[in-house]
Amino acid sequence: MSREVLSPPVQTMSQNRRYRVNVVHEDFGGDKWNGQNNRAKGANGTYQEPDLYGDDDDDEDDPAASNIEETPNGDFKLALHVPKSFYGGLIGMKGSTKRRIEEETRCEIYVPRQNEKSNAVIVRAKQRSQVCAALRQIRHLLASLRKKMKPTHFLAVALNSGKVQEHYVELKKSILEAQLPGIDEELFISERCIHLTLGVYVLLDDDERQRALNELEFCRQFLADLKTPFDVKVKGLEIMNDDPSSTRVLYGRIVSPDLQKFADKCLAHFQTTGLCATDNNDRESIKLHMTLMNNRYRKEAMKSGNSFDAREILKRFGDFDFGSAQCQAVHLCVLKSRGEDEFYKISGSLEF
């Protein structure tokens, strides 16, 4: 039996690792492969590992990559903004996650303590490509952590005024007067909070909230070919699931082609920012709707069950006409909040 099979050549790599060299016969490109193996040897005869982190153009698409600086001693450094809510996940159990990223990318990572004012994670390495590799891993980790977090903000079109609000109050009164089984006032949204939702986000600090407002302003360009203010018509009732006898959400149907186009373009743009809640990342289009009743509004939702029977409501009021409204602004609102006017607290707006 060939000696090369029983005792194949071995190449020594870093950290005392040794690997067998598979010699390829020349009929199968052996000269090419064996030549590459020979060229991989360093001056001292040991195998030199290739740079796994160089020439990765994807990293340059990350705006943070442009902030990588070369220090006076020739190292490379990046100060990366990371909300404090992510620190625990970035460090990991007893520092395991941070240590793994450092070992795989050959970087040093400094995560500020919770009581420090700075929220910049510092990444240092000998090569710029190594900093880029660490940046890529940190981005993937933060995206994974964000998916597990509850939404904090949403984009809204307020409909809490004019004819739409008046007709909603009329409908609510009619439904309650009908005294339908399992239907009570707690199921209804407040008339001061009626709105359309254009997107839901996880914004964890002031920097992320300001960034979201900047991205919203960027969406102004999508209005160029659309007629504003948007005309929003609300007519008809629908439910979110297929069983009206056991539903959780009943809403008013929206007809507004231009607003739909704008909402979908905003969705596509925000999906590239990394700020979206999980539900938004999985969507291709925004379902415009005006929520009227939601089982989650009930304070005793667990005792009352997770759904309500909407069959009689749909039968009696399915074609209800709320009228029309003019949409002149999109607001970035805080979930589960109330402002001075009893609408949601508004962090900022895109007016048109």
Side-chain angles (χ1 to χ4, degrees):
M1 187 175 291
S2 171
R3 178 175 176 79
E4 290 183 350
V5 174
L6 296 176
S7 182
V10 175
Q11 288 186 339
T12 302
M13 300 174 67
S14 60
Q15 300 179 356
N16 294 322
R17 291 177 294 170
R18 304 177 72 194
Y19 291 88
R20 182 181 66 189
V21 177
N22 292 322
V23 179
V24 183
H25 192 275
E26 61 182 6
D27 289 345
F28 301 96
D31 289 340
K32 173 183 176 182
W33 286 96
N34 295 332
Q36 286 182 344
N37 285 335
N38 291 333
R39 287 193 297 272
K41 291 184 178 181
N44 59 0
T46 60
Y47 181 78
Q48 301 295 316
E49 291 187 77
D51 182 5
L52 300 178
Y53 307 106
D55 300 327
D56 193 339
D57 294 334
D58 291 341
D59 295 317
E60 299 303 329
D61 293 336
D62 192 320
S66 62
N67 296 326
I68 298 176
E69 302 175 349
E70 185 172 3
T71 64
N73 63 0
D75 291 346
F76 290 85
K77 168 187 170 183
L78 171 65
L80 179 66
H81 169 75
V82 176
K84 293 183 182 295
S85 301
F86 287 131
Y87 286 1
L90 178 57
I91 295 172
M93 181 69 70
K94 297 182 179 180
S96 59
T97 303
K98 172 177 168 290
R99 187 163 53 250
R100 174 181 58 79
I101 297 175
E102 288 177 324
E103 291 175 354
E104 291 180 357
T105 63
R106 304 170 192 169
C107 288
E108 292 182 2
I109 300 174
Y110 174 75
V111 180
R113 297 180 182 276
Q114 286 288 349
N115 58 358
E116 291 186 38
K117 293 183 179 180
S118 172
N119 56 2
V121 170
I122 306 299
V123 182
R124 297 177 183 272
K126 295 292 184 182
Q127 300 178 25
R128 189 179 191 280
S129 59
Q130 293 168 342
V131 177
C132 286
L135 171 61
R136 182 170 63 251
Q137 289 209 27
I138 292 173
R139 288 295 197 206
H140 287 323
L141 174 61
L142 299 188
S144 176
L145 294 172
R146 194 182 296 271
K147 289 180 180 179
K148 302 175 184 178
M149 295 181 171
K150 293 182 178 180
T152 60
H153 293 71
F154 66 103
L155 285 183
V157 172
L159 295 177
N160 58 341
S161 62
K163 292 296 183 181
V164 172
Q165 184 190 51
E166 293 176 9
H167 290 157
Y168 166 71
V169 173
E170 294 174 8
L171 175 64
K172 176 182 174 181
K173 181 180 178 181
S174 298
I175 293 175
L176 291 175
E177 287 178 347
Q179 297 184 344
L180 302 175
I183 304 301
D184 56 65
E185 190 168 0
E186 283 190 341
L187 281 170
F188 291 84
I189 190 172
S190 167
E191 60 267 23
R192 298 183 181 89
C193 296
I194 307 172
H195 67 278
L196 310 180
T197 299
L198 304 190
V200 185
Y201 313 100
V202 179
L203 309 177
L204 300 174
D205 59 17
D206 289 340
D207 286 349
E208 289 200 340
R209 286 186 281 275
Q210 184 56 53
R211 183 182 164 206
L213 290 175
N214 293 341
E215 301 295 351
L216 179 58
E217 182 61 34
F218 178 87
C219 293
R220 183 181 295 277
Q221 62 183 300
F222 303 146
L223 299 169
D225 299 327
L226 303 175
K227 182 181 179 180
T228 56
F230 297 123
D231 183 53
V232 180
K233 185 173 180 58
V234 189
K235 183 178 181 180
L237 305 182
E238 291 185 354
I239 58 174
M240 282 295 184
N241 62 319
D242 297 327
D243 184 3
S245 68
S246 180
T247 189
R248 297 182 181 182
V249 178
L250 181 135
Y251 63 89
R253 190 186 306 117
I254 302 298
V255 179
S256 182
D258 281 349
L259 178 57
Q260 182 70 63
K261 292 177 183 177
F262 178 70
D264 290 344
K265 288 182 179 180
C266 288
L267 171 66
H269 173 67
F270 269 93
Q271 285 175 338
T272 67
T273 66
L275 299 175
C276 289
T278 301
D279 184 55
N280 269 34
N281 282 322
D282 299 333
R283 293 179 180 271
E284 295 182 358
S285 178
I286 292 293
K287 182 179 180 62
L288 293 179
H289 65 282
M290 184 178 78
T291 299
L292 308 174
M293 302 171 66
N294 191 326
N295 194 65
R296 289 188 300 178
Y297 297 153
R298 276 177 166 159
K299 296 178 182 179
E300 301 293 330
M302 296 303 295
K303 296 181 181 180
S304 304
N306 294 323
S307 62
F308 60 92
D309 189 340
R311 287 176 295 182
E312 194 63 28
I313 296 176
L314 293 173
K315 180 179 178 181
R316 298 189 189 188
F317 309 102
D319 294 326
F320 190 86
D321 191 347
F322 295 86
S324 299
Q326 294 289 305
C327 168
Q328 298 179 319
V330 175
H331 309 291
L332 180 65
C333 301
V334 182
L335 278 167
K336 299 180 180 179
S337 67
R338 287 293 181 271
E340 295 180 359
D341 59 354
E342 292 301 312
F343 189 66
Y344 299 91
K345 290 182 180 178
I346 296 176
S347 300
S349 305
L350 174 66
E351 299 180 353
F352 41 83

